[in-house]
Amino acid sequence: MINMHDILETINMIKDENLDIRTITMGISLYDCASESTERTCRLIYDKVTRTAEHLVSVGCDIEKELGIPIINKRVSVTPISLVGGKYTPEDYVKIAKTLDKAAHELGINFLGGYSALVQKGFTENARNLITSIPEALTETERVCSSVNVASTKAGINMDAVAMMGDIIKRTAYLTRDNESIGCAKLVVFANVPEDNPFMAGAFHGVGEAETVINVGVSGPGVVASAIKRAGECDFSALAETVKKTAFKITRMGQLVASEASRRLGVPFGIVDLSLAPTPAIGDSVAHILEGMGLERCGTHGTTAALALLNDAVKKGGVMASSHVGGLSGAFIPVSEDAGMIDAVTIGALSLEKLEAMTAVCSVGLDMIAIPGDTPASTICGIIADEISIGVANTKTTAVRLIPAYGKGVGESVSFGGLLGYAPIMKVSEYSCADFIARGGRIPAPIHSLKN
């Protein structure tokens, strides 16, 4: 039974510790939108998305008002567009992207994900054409997000796709150069991509999902940081228990909102993603959680161990709070969206290499990292390949969202505003990996992929 202490504690989490529901995301299948022409496919996609998600924003706002729980974003994810039938050219795919953007504006959502391709083992013609179209699609739309899965533990790493994505990221940065290369902030490269992720830019509606589904992403770095501060100088077992109990409370709130949204919209409940998703707001930082454990600065020795404890305890607490936990679920470390990460990079405590090590034990990967605009495409490919290898070898999701800031270098920064925040430009290695990337082909799957 809920008691007065629980109620007051939740009110304090919301009022003083930045607790919120980061997103309610409706997944929508578009398989039935394939047709004999691009024009008709666009019409069918627009009609289905706007009809199915017509009440998403209003229901989210109603729940927010009635329960007093902030719901920051209402979003839509769709079937990976490269899988929606038909033989499309890159130009056709740009038309579809514009259609999705028009639907997003009509619905009043902030992002729509699913301009995506799954190429972990090879390319279909449609997947190759969609990937080719990504720079133009992200330049000519505002709210469309794109993702490409280039590897899995079962398939290995499609290095041809990795090589292609280096060029795609560079071109996207160039085409959106007048707006801080923001197109790259809407593009993610994955290994072991989850098909029920409610967070952008990597969300899409997976091939095994129902016709429609509601997925909810919670957040609460500020709540966890406050709990750790109250715990004081306890040992690691007690510290993990504190994080676990806090994650339980956060996830229960997400479960409540997800169930209520599902009921009101008449759409099946999918999962709660219990990730700690930071923002640039003061007190809403994963880096500050780690520093609260005893690190002088995020990035110093011990940071990876602290993050491992945090990530594991968050997952343990979350799975006790909801029977359907999915998505990414853990701790996010996007540089531009985390005030503590930004500070650590600015003073030199946190490097790209340390971030890569941290991704071995956290939820995602190298996220929202600005690098010099003149970084060669091959170096970008090398960064992607390194990060993706961590995911493949460890049977976990990893991702890369890099912003080569056109015309800028180390010591400068880019600013996107809102949840995307701002990022100091980080140094990359000056040594080339071009000959390595040029080999092409596939890096074979690790031996533990043969778990049958």
Side-chain angles (χ1 to χ4, degrees):
M1 179 179 290
I2 297 175
N3 58 41
M4 184 60 70
H5 176 268
D6 292 330
I7 294 171
L8 292 174
E9 183 180 42
T10 303
I11 291 171
N12 182 64
M13 288 177 179
I14 294 169
K15 181 173 177 288
D16 299 325
E17 297 171 357
N18 298 318
L19 178 61
D20 58 51
I21 298 297
R22 188 53 48 86
T23 179
I24 295 178
T25 301
M26 177 182 284
I28 302 174
S29 172
L30 298 183
Y31 285 124
D32 57 350
C33 295
S35 74
E36 70 283 355
S37 72
T38 307
E39 289 70 24
R40 186 161 187 269
T41 296
C42 287
R43 191 162 59 249
L44 291 170
I45 287 174
Y46 179 83
D47 290 345
K48 184 166 188 183
V49 171
T50 54
R51 181 181 69 252
T52 306
E54 179 182 5
H55 301 295
L56 176 64
V57 172
S58 61
V59 165
C61 291
D62 288 344
I63 294 172
E64 184 176 16
K65 291 175 184 175
E66 291 174 27
L67 299 183
I69 299 170
I71 300 173
I72 306 304
N73 299 300
K74 296 84 179 175
R75 296 166 171 171
V76 167
S77 63
V78 298
T79 303
I81 293 299
S82 67
L83 300 181
V84 177
K87 189 173 183 180
Y88 303 123
T89 65
E91 293 74 23
D92 291 331
Y93 277 118
V94 173
K95 292 177 184 177
I96 294 174
K98 290 180 178 179
T99 299
L100 293 170
D101 198 51
K102 181 181 176 184
H105 278 87
E106 174 65 23
L107 292 169
I109 59 176
N110 72 321
F111 285 126
L112 187 152
Y115 196 75
S116 306
L118 310 177
V119 294
Q120 57 268 25
K121 206 169 184 180
F123 297 94
T124 63
E125 184 177 352
N126 271 13
R128 189 182 295 275
N129 285 343
L130 181 136
I131 293 171
T132 300
S133 76
I134 287 173
E136 286 72 19
L138 296 183
T139 300
E140 297 181 31
T141 62
E142 180 185 1
R143 303 184 185 187
V144 170
C145 292
S146 181
S147 59
V148 179
N149 193 68
V150 301
S152 72
T153 299
K154 283 288 187 182
I157 305 173
N158 182 350
M159 288 299 292
D160 292 328
V162 171
M164 191 174 185
M165 290 311 300
D167 290 326
I168 293 298
I169 291 169
K170 285 284 286 186
R171 179 158 176 77
T172 303
Y174 175 76
L175 291 180
T176 56
R177 62 192 182 279
D178 293 334
N179 193 14
E180 304 276 42
S181 297
I182 195 171
C184 297
K186 300 183 290 176
L187 173 59
V188 191
V189 183
F190 273 107
N192 293 319
V193 66
E195 299 192 2
D196 54 6
N197 166 28
F199 287 99
M200 300 295 171
F204 64 82
H205 189 64
V207 297
E209 297 287 331
E211 184 71 15
T212 54
V213 70
I214 287 292
N215 297 320
V216 166
V218 299
S219 188
V223 177
V224 176
S226 295
I228 289 173
K229 184 176 181 179
R230 288 193 297 271
E233 296 181 3
C234 59
D235 67 16
F236 286 116
S237 295
L239 189 64
E241 188 70 12
T242 297
V243 175
K244 185 171 69 174
K245 289 179 178 178
T246 306
F248 176 88
K249 295 170 185 176
I250 294 170
T251 308
R252 287 302 283 177
M253 187 185 75
Q255 173 84 8
L256 171 64
V257 171
S259 300
E260 191 63 19
S262 171
R263 182 185 68 79
R264 296 189 187 194
L265 290 164
V267 172
F269 161 54
I271 58 94
V272 175
D273 185 318
L274 50 94
S275 297
L276 296 179
T279 73
I282 300 300
D284 205 21
S285 163
V286 169
H288 289 159
I289 295 175
L290 304 179
E291 291 166 2
M293 293 182 184
L295 304 175
E296 182 177 4
R297 279 290 184 176
C298 178
T300 189
H301 304 297
T303 298
T304 305
L307 184 58
L309 182 153
L310 174 66
N311 210 54
D312 179 67
V314 165
K315 291 177 186 288
K316 286 175 177 173
V319 296
M320 290 298 292
S322 174
S323 297
H324 299 287
V325 170
L328 298 161
S329 288
F332 287 4
I333 52 171
V335 172
S336 79
E337 300 172 16
D338 187 307
M341 296 287 177
I342 294 168
D343 290 343
V345 170
T346 301
I347 67 170
L350 184 59
S351 67
L352 189 58
E353 291 76 17
K354 185 60 176 180
L355 276 167
E356 183 182 304
M358 292 164 66
T359 64
V361 299
C362 77
S363 290
V364 195
L366 297 173
D367 195 19
M368 288 299 290
I369 294 173
I371 59 175
D374 61 359
T375 302
S378 59
T379 298
I380 294 173
C381 294
I383 295 170
I384 293 171
D386 284 345
E387 184 58 35
I388 294 308
S389 297
I390 291 173
V392 169
N394 291 283
T395 320
K396 68 186 291 291
T397 299
T398 52
V400 177
R401 188 160 44 150
L402 296 175
I403 300 105
Y406 191 83
K408 294 190 175 184
V410 176
E412 298 180 89
S413 64
V414 290
S415 179
F416 305 114
L419 287 175
L420 295 178
Y422 74 97
I425 294 172
M426 300 186 72
K427 182 180 182 297
V428 301
S429 175
E430 62 188 46
Y431 299 102
S432 175
C433 61
D435 290 345
F436 175 75
I437 299 300
R439 288 178 179 274
R442 282 173 33 220
I443 293 179
I447 189 64
H448 60 257
S449 68
L450 298 176
K451 291 180 180 178
N452 292 322

